Amino acid sequence: MTYTLLLYTDPAVVADFTPDDWAKEREIYGAYIGALHEAGVLEKTDWLQPAHTATTVSMADGEERIQDGPFAETKETLGGFFV
């Protein structure tokens, strides 16, 4: 069985992060990634680009629609994943 852990973040919470804050985040996630890897259960993990860089591709009435930005305005955005 495969599990996927999705990481959601409120961009407003991290907007004022300092380099030290980001270093602490990398340290925490690095330890978690290391533990998953050591346990032999990590298949893949990655951070995603910020939502403002997104492109949404959809089909409507048989035509492809391409839009800049995420599909829905939400408070939290998908920031990364673990498989």
Side-chain angles (χ1 to χ4, degrees):
M1 184 174 291
T2 300
Y3 294 93
T4 301
L5 170 66
L6 302 176
L7 304 173
Y8 286 89
T9 303
D10 181 345
V13 171
V14 297
D16 295 326
F17 266 27
T18 66
D20 287 341
D21 293 330
W22 285 114
K24 180 143 179 104
E25 288 287 304
R26 283 190 299 277
E27 180 182 330
I28 291 167
Y29 281 108
Y32 184 60
I33 291 166
L36 292 173
H37 185 44
E38 186 175 313
V41 297
L42 180 65
E43 290 187 24
K44 179 155 180 66
T45 185
D46 210 346
W47 295 98
L48 302 179
Q49 294 295 317
H52 71 272
T53 67
T55 300
T56 299
V57 179
S58 60
M59 295 291 289
D61 299 322
E63 293 188 28
E64 185 178 271
R65 295 174 53 195
I66 300 174
Q67 299 170 278
D68 290 337
F71 178 71
E73 291 293 325
T74 62
K75 185 175 181 178
E76 294 182 334
T77 58
L78 179 61
F81 64 90
F82 291 90
V83 178

